[in-house]
Amino acid sequence: EKKELQSLIENNVYKKVKVKDLPRDVEIISGRWVFKVKINGEGKIESYKGRVVARGNELSRVHGRTYSPVACAATIRFLLAIAVTFRLKLRSADVKTAFLYAKIPKGREVYCKPPPGCGCEEDEVWRLQSSLYGLPSASYLWHGTFTEELKKLGYNQSKQDPCLFYKIRRGIYIILTIVVDDILIASNDDEKSKELISMLNEKFKVI
């Protein structure tokens, strides 16, 4: 729980506000803890995990898009086939607490009453500044955030699959795809793949 709450603070996910300072007609949704036991390959308990999620289903009206593209199976097979054919090096990475990096646009504020244990007083709620797991638009906003960062790094987005990106420079090429927060990278220069992960790690927490 402490790690989860620290992630929320580090990513500036919320700002505490007094209920009395909010407009009368503002909508306040609730939050809850979701606990999970992570099992390793040997069937033994590896860790316990707790995550704060918003009950987005309580929103009477959803602002913005909720659809988020996910790399299709054909795209992943294509990338693997290219890697095998041209003997490319493969690397995988995972963005921790990915949704928390996606900022909520101005004018679409969401207010949430967090669950017990989050350090919120009875007369306080969170004004969410970043996406929280459980919000209908969280996945869409995260994909947009990740796409924007890759384009800043000079990557092109495929017109056939918005989850496929590539970059070709001086005989070195990198192809990557993303499934929510899991990244698969193929390149003929493994050092460039490491460099990409390092650059992404400056913006997100990538492992």
Side-chain angles (χ1 to χ4, degrees), residues 179-194:
V179 180
V180 188
D181 55 5
D182 294 311
I183 309 168
L184 181 62
I185 308 169
S187 176
N188 62 339
D189 187 333
D190 195 42
E191 289 303 314
K192 291 298 181 181
S193 294
K194 293 179 183 178

mmCIF file with all atom_site columns, all heavy atoms in Angstrom, residues 179-194:
data_model
loop_
_atom_site.group_PDB
_atom_site.id
_atom_site.type_symbol
_atom_site.label_atom_id
_atom_site.label_alt_id
_atom_site.label_comp_id
_atom_site.label_asym_id
_atom_site.label_entity_id
_atom_site.label_seq_id
_atom_site.pdbx_PDB_ins_code
_atom_site.Cartn_x
_atom_site.Cartn_y
_atom_site.Cartn_z
_atom_site.occupancy
_atom_site.B_iso_or_equiv
_atom_site.pdbx_formal_charge
_atom_site.auth_seq_id
_atom_site.auth_comp_id
_atom_site.auth_asym_id
_atom_site.auth_atom_id
_atom_site.pdbx_PDB_model_num
ATOM 1   N N   . VAL A 1 179 ? 1.474  -3.137 -25.981 1.00 0.00 ? 179 VAL A N   1
ATOM 2   C CA  . VAL A 1 179 ? 0.183  -3.692 -25.572 1.00 0.00 ? 179 VAL A CA  1
ATOM 3   C C   . VAL A 1 179 ? -0.097 -3.134 -24.172 1.00 0.00 ? 179 VAL A C   1
ATOM 4   O O   . VAL A 1 179 ? 0.431  -3.629 -23.184 1.00 0.00 ? 179 VAL A O   1
ATOM 5   C CB  . VAL A 1 179 ? 0.199  -5.231 -25.549 1.00 0.00 ? 179 VAL A CB  1
ATOM 6   C CG1 . VAL A 1 179 ? -1.162 -5.759 -25.114 1.00 0.00 ? 179 VAL A CG1 1
ATOM 7   C CG2 . VAL A 1 179 ? 0.568  -5.780 -26.918 1.00 0.00 ? 179 VAL A CG2 1
ATOM 8   N N   . VAL A 1 180 ? -0.864 -2.078 -24.124 1.00 0.00 ? 180 VAL A N   1
ATOM 9   C CA  . VAL A 1 180 ? -1.166 -1.324 -22.905 1.00 0.00 ? 180 VAL A CA  1
ATOM 10  C C   . VAL A 1 180 ? 0.118  -0.754 -22.306 1.00 0.00 ? 180 VAL A C   1
ATOM 11  O O   . VAL A 1 180 ? 0.517  0.354  -22.632 1.00 0.00 ? 180 VAL A O   1
ATOM 12  C CB  . VAL A 1 180 ? -1.948 -2.154 -21.858 1.00 0.00 ? 180 VAL A CB  1
ATOM 13  C CG1 . VAL A 1 180 ? -2.395 -1.245 -20.714 1.00 0.00 ? 180 VAL A CG1 1
ATOM 14  C CG2 . VAL A 1 180 ? -3.171 -2.813 -22.499 1.00 0.00 ? 180 VAL A CG2 1
ATOM 15  N N   . ASP A 1 181 ? 0.802  -1.510 -21.426 1.00 0.00 ? 181 ASP A N   1
ATOM 16  C CA  . ASP A 1 181 ? 2.038  -1.000 -20.831 1.00 0.00 ? 181 ASP A CA  1
ATOM 17  C C   . ASP A 1 181 ? 3.229  -1.928 -21.048 1.00 0.00 ? 181 ASP A C   1
ATOM 18  O O   . ASP A 1 181 ? 4.293  -1.741 -20.464 1.00 0.00 ? 181 ASP A O   1
ATOM 19  C CB  . ASP A 1 181 ? 1.852  -0.747 -19.332 1.00 0.00 ? 181 ASP A CB  1
ATOM 20  C CG  . ASP A 1 181 ? 1.355  -1.987 -18.589 1.00 0.00 ? 181 ASP A CG  1
ATOM 21  O OD1 . ASP A 1 181 ? 1.244  -3.058 -19.228 1.00 0.00 ? 181 ASP A OD1 1
ATOM 22  O OD2 . ASP A 1 181 ? 1.075  -1.887 -17.381 1.00 0.00 ? 181 ASP A OD2 1
ATOM 23  N N   . ASP A 1 182 ? 3.049  -2.936 -21.917 1.00 0.00 ? 182 ASP A N   1
ATOM 24  C CA  . ASP A 1 182 ? 4.128  -3.871 -22.243 1.00 0.00 ? 182 ASP A CA  1
ATOM 25  C C   . ASP A 1 182 ? 4.707  -3.529 -23.611 1.00 0.00 ? 182 ASP A C   1
ATOM 26  O O   . ASP A 1 182 ? 3.967  -3.414 -24.599 1.00 0.00 ? 182 ASP A O   1
ATOM 27  C CB  . ASP A 1 182 ? 3.619  -5.312 -22.249 1.00 0.00 ? 182 ASP A CB  1
ATOM 28  C CG  . ASP A 1 182 ? 3.192  -5.766 -20.858 1.00 0.00 ? 182 ASP A CG  1
ATOM 29  O OD1 . ASP A 1 182 ? 3.980  -5.552 -19.919 1.00 0.00 ? 182 ASP A OD1 1
ATOM 30  O OD2 . ASP A 1 182 ? 2.087  -6.311 -20.720 1.00 0.00 ? 182 ASP A OD2 1
ATOM 31  N N   . ILE A 1 183 ? 6.033  -3.371 -23.658 1.00 0.00 ? 183 ILE A N   1
ATOM 32  C CA  . ILE A 1 183 ? 6.709  -2.952 -24.889 1.00 0.00 ? 183 ILE A CA  1
ATOM 33  C C   . ILE A 1 183 ? 7.575  -4.090 -25.420 1.00 0.00 ? 183 ILE A C   1
ATOM 34  O O   . ILE A 1 183 ? 8.304  -4.732 -24.658 1.00 0.00 ? 183 ILE A O   1
ATOM 35  C CB  . ILE A 1 183 ? 7.597  -1.721 -24.633 1.00 0.00 ? 183 ILE A CB  1
ATOM 36  C CG1 . ILE A 1 183 ? 6.809  -0.615 -23.925 1.00 0.00 ? 183 ILE A CG1 1
ATOM 37  C CG2 . ILE A 1 183 ? 8.198  -1.192 -25.932 1.00 0.00 ? 183 ILE A CG2 1
ATOM 38  C CD1 . ILE A 1 183 ? 7.680  0.516  -23.393 1.00 0.00 ? 183 ILE A CD1 1
ATOM 39  N N   . LEU A 1 184 ? 7.502  -4.319 -26.724 1.00 0.00 ? 184 LEU A N   1
ATOM 40  C CA  . LEU A 1 184 ? 8.350  -5.305 -27.392 1.00 0.00 ? 184 LEU A CA  1
ATOM 41  C C   . LEU A 1 184 ? 9.150  -4.579 -28.468 1.00 0.00 ? 184 LEU A C   1
ATOM 42  O O   . LEU A 1 184 ? 8.578  -3.910 -29.329 1.00 0.00 ? 184 LEU A O   1
ATOM 43  C CB  . LEU A 1 184 ? 7.505  -6.418 -28.016 1.00 0.00 ? 184 LEU A CB  1
ATOM 44  C CG  . LEU A 1 184 ? 8.266  -7.539 -28.727 1.00 0.00 ? 184 LEU A CG  1
ATOM 45  C CD1 . LEU A 1 184 ? 9.170  -8.280 -27.744 1.00 0.00 ? 184 LEU A CD1 1
ATOM 46  C CD2 . LEU A 1 184 ? 7.291  -8.521 -29.383 1.00 0.00 ? 184 LEU A CD2 1
ATOM 47  N N   . ILE A 1 185 ? 10.480 -4.702 -28.399 1.00 0.00 ? 185 ILE A N   1
ATOM 48  C CA  . ILE A 1 185 ? 11.374 -3.962 -29.289 1.00 0.00 ? 185 ILE A CA  1
ATOM 49  C C   . ILE A 1 185 ? 12.230 -4.929 -30.099 1.00 0.00 ? 185 ILE A C   1
ATOM 50  O O   . ILE A 1 185 ? 12.762 -5.908 -29.566 1.00 0.00 ? 185 ILE A O   1
ATOM 51  C CB  . ILE A 1 185 ? 12.301 -3.023 -28.496 1.00 0.00 ? 185 ILE A CB  1
ATOM 52  C CG1 . ILE A 1 185 ? 11.500 -2.128 -27.543 1.00 0.00 ? 185 ILE A CG1 1
ATOM 53  C CG2 . ILE A 1 185 ? 13.161 -2.174 -29.426 1.00 0.00 ? 185 ILE A CG2 1
ATOM 54  C CD1 . ILE A 1 185 ? 12.349 -1.372 -26.542 1.00 0.00 ? 185 ILE A CD1 1
ATOM 55  N N   . ALA A 1 186 ? 12.380 -4.644 -31.398 1.00 0.00 ? 186 ALA A N   1
ATOM 56  C CA  . ALA A 1 186 ? 13.265 -5.419 -32.270 1.00 0.00 ? 186 ALA A CA  1
ATOM 57  C C   . ALA A 1 186 ? 14.191 -4.445 -32.988 1.00 0.00 ? 186 ALA A C   1
ATOM 58  O O   . ALA A 1 186 ? 13.752 -3.419 -33.509 1.00 0.00 ? 186 ALA A O   1
ATOM 59  C CB  . ALA A 1 186 ? 12.462 -6.219 -33.287 1.00 0.00 ? 186 ALA A CB  1
ATOM 60  N N   . SER A 1 187 ? 15.492 -4.765 -33.015 1.00 0.00 ? 187 SER A N   1
ATOM 61  C CA  . SER A 1 187 ? 16.454 -3.868 -33.655 1.00 0.00 ? 187 SER A CA  1
ATOM 62  C C   . SER A 1 187 ? 17.682 -4.641 -34.115 1.00 0.00 ? 187 SER A C   1
ATOM 63  O O   . SER A 1 187 ? 18.019 -5.684 -33.545 1.00 0.00 ? 187 SER A O   1
ATOM 64  C CB  . SER A 1 187 ? 16.872 -2.753 -32.700 1.00 0.00 ? 187 SER A CB  1
ATOM 65  O OG  . SER A 1 187 ? 17.865 -1.928 -33.282 1.00 0.00 ? 187 SER A OG  1
ATOM 66  N N   . ASN A 1 188 ? 18.365 -4.104 -35.134 1.00 0.00 ? 188 ASN A N   1
ATOM 67  C CA  . ASN A 1 188 ? 19.615 -4.708 -35.575 1.00 0.00 ? 188 ASN A CA  1
ATOM 68  C C   . ASN A 1 188 ? 20.801 -4.150 -34.785 1.00 0.00 ? 188 ASN A C   1
ATOM 69  O O   . ASN A 1 188 ? 21.945 -4.489 -35.047 1.00 0.00 ? 188 ASN A O   1
ATOM 70  C CB  . ASN A 1 188 ? 19.831 -4.490 -37.076 1.00 0.00 ? 188 ASN A CB  1
ATOM 71  C CG  . ASN A 1 188 ? 19.927 -3.012 -37.439 1.00 0.00 ? 188 ASN A CG  1
ATOM 72  O OD1 . ASN A 1 188 ? 19.474 -2.139 -36.691 1.00 0.00 ? 188 ASN A OD1 1
ATOM 73  N ND2 . ASN A 1 188 ? 20.506 -2.717 -38.589 1.00 0.00 ? 188 ASN A ND2 1
ATOM 74  N N   . ASP A 1 189 ? 20.505 -3.270 -33.824 1.00 0.00 ? 189 ASP A N   1
ATOM 75  C CA  . ASP A 1 189 ? 21.532 -2.720 -32.935 1.00 0.00 ? 189 ASP A CA  1
ATOM 76  C C   . ASP A 1 189 ? 20.965 -2.728 -31.512 1.00 0.00 ? 189 ASP A C   1
ATOM 77  O O   . ASP A 1 189 ? 20.184 -1.860 -31.134 1.00 0.00 ? 189 ASP A O   1
ATOM 78  C CB  . ASP A 1 189 ? 21.902 -1.295 -33.354 1.00 0.00 ? 189 ASP A CB  1
ATOM 79  C CG  . ASP A 1 189 ? 23.089 -0.744 -32.573 1.00 0.00 ? 189 ASP A CG  1
ATOM 80  O OD1 . ASP A 1 189 ? 23.311 -1.186 -31.430 1.00 0.00 ? 189 ASP A OD1 1
ATOM 81  O OD2 . ASP A 1 189 ? 23.794 0.144  -33.093 1.00 0.00 ? 189 ASP A OD2 1
ATOM 82  N N   . ASP A 1 190 ? 21.377 -3.723 -30.738 1.00 0.00 ? 190 ASP A N   1
ATOM 83  C CA  . ASP A 1 190 ? 20.812 -3.885 -29.399 1.00 0.00 ? 190 ASP A CA  1
ATOM 84  C C   . ASP A 1 190 ? 21.120 -2.702 -28.485 1.00 0.00 ? 190 ASP A C   1
ATOM 85  O O   . ASP A 1 190 ? 20.354 -2.399 -27.567 1.00 0.00 ? 190 ASP A O   1
ATOM 86  C CB  . ASP A 1 190 ? 21.340 -5.177 -28.764 1.00 0.00 ? 190 ASP A CB  1
ATOM 87  C CG  . ASP A 1 190 ? 20.521 -5.597 -27.553 1.00 0.00 ? 190 ASP A CG  1
ATOM 88  O OD1 . ASP A 1 190 ? 19.276 -5.503 -27.609 1.00 0.00 ? 190 ASP A OD1 1
ATOM 89  O OD2 . ASP A 1 190 ? 21.119 -6.010 -26.545 1.00 0.00 ? 190 ASP A OD2 1
ATOM 90  N N   . GLU A 1 191 ? 22.233 -2.017 -28.743 1.00 0.00 ? 191 GLU A N   1
ATOM 91  C CA  . GLU A 1 191 ? 22.588 -0.854 -27.934 1.00 0.00 ? 191 GLU A CA  1
ATOM 92  C C   . GLU A 1 191 ? 21.566 0.264  -28.120 1.00 0.00 ? 191 GLU A C   1
ATOM 93  O O   . GLU A 1 191 ? 21.281 1.021  -27.189 1.00 0.00 ? 191 GLU A O   1
ATOM 94  C CB  . GLU A 1 191 ? 23.992 -0.353 -28.295 1.00 0.00 ? 191 GLU A CB  1
ATOM 95  C CG  . GLU A 1 191 ? 25.109 -1.273 -27.836 1.00 0.00 ? 191 GLU A CG  1
ATOM 96  C CD  . GLU A 1 191 ? 25.081 -1.530 -26.333 1.00 0.00 ? 191 GLU A CD  1
ATOM 97  O OE1 . GLU A 1 191 ? 24.926 -0.547 -25.566 1.00 0.00 ? 191 GLU A OE1 1
ATOM 98  O OE2 . GLU A 1 191 ? 25.200 -2.700 -25.926 1.00 0.00 ? 191 GLU A OE2 1
ATOM 99  N N   . LYS A 1 192 ? 21.015 0.365  -29.325 1.00 0.00 ? 192 LYS A N   1
ATOM 100 C CA  . LYS A 1 192 ? 19.997 1.383  -29.582 1.00 0.00 ? 192 LYS A CA  1
ATOM 101 C C   . LYS A 1 192 ? 18.691 1.054  -28.861 1.00 0.00 ? 192 LYS A C   1
ATOM 102 O O   . LYS A 1 192 ? 17.966 1.952  -28.429 1.00 0.00 ? 192 LYS A O   1
ATOM 103 C CB  . LYS A 1 192 ? 19.744 1.509  -31.091 1.00 0.00 ? 192 LYS A CB  1
ATOM 104 C CG  . LYS A 1 192 ? 20.909 2.124  -31.865 1.00 0.00 ? 192 LYS A CG  1
ATOM 105 C CD  . LYS A 1 192 ? 21.183 3.551  -31.398 1.00 0.00 ? 192 LYS A CD  1
ATOM 106 C CE  . LYS A 1 192 ? 22.325 4.182  -32.171 1.00 0.00 ? 192 LYS A CE  1
ATOM 107 N NZ  . LYS A 1 192 ? 22.622 5.567  -31.701 1.00 0.00 ? 192 LYS A NZ  1
ATOM 108 N N   . SER A 1 193 ? 18.410 -0.233 -28.729 1.00 0.00 ? 193 SER A N   1
ATOM 109 C CA  . SER A 1 193 ? 17.229 -0.647 -27.973 1.00 0.00 ? 193 SER A CA  1
ATOM 110 C C   . SER A 1 193 ? 17.398 -0.270 -26.502 1.00 0.00 ? 193 SER A C   1
ATOM 111 O O   . SER A 1 193 ? 16.479 0.246  -25.857 1.00 0.00 ? 193 SER A O   1
ATOM 112 C CB  . SER A 1 193 ? 17.006 -2.153 -28.098 1.00 0.00 ? 193 SER A CB  1
ATOM 113 O OG  . SER A 1 193 ? 16.686 -2.505 -29.430 1.00 0.00 ? 193 SER A OG  1
ATOM 114 N N   . LYS A 1 194 ? 18.602 -0.523 -25.979 1.00 0.00 ? 194 LYS A N   1
ATOM 115 C CA  . LYS A 1 194 ? 18.890 -0.153 -24.591 1.00 0.00 ? 194 LYS A CA  1
ATOM 116 C C   . LYS A 1 194 ? 18.792 1.360  -24.410 1.00 0.00 ? 194 LYS A C   1
ATOM 117 O O   . LYS A 1 194 ? 18.297 1.855  -23.401 1.00 0.00 ? 194 LYS A O   1
ATOM 118 C CB  . LYS A 1 194 ? 20.287 -0.624 -24.200 1.00 0.00 ? 194 LYS A CB  1
ATOM 119 C CG  . LYS A 1 194 ? 20.458 -2.134 -24.127 1.00 0.00 ? 194 LYS A CG  1
ATOM 120 C CD  . LYS A 1 194 ? 21.890 -2.476 -23.741 1.00 0.00 ? 194 LYS A CD  1
ATOM 121 C CE  . LYS A 1 194 ? 22.127 -3.983 -23.731 1.00 0.00 ? 194 LYS A CE  1
ATOM 122 N NZ  . LYS A 1 194 ? 23.539 -4.302 -23.399 1.00 0.00 ? 194 LYS A NZ  1
#
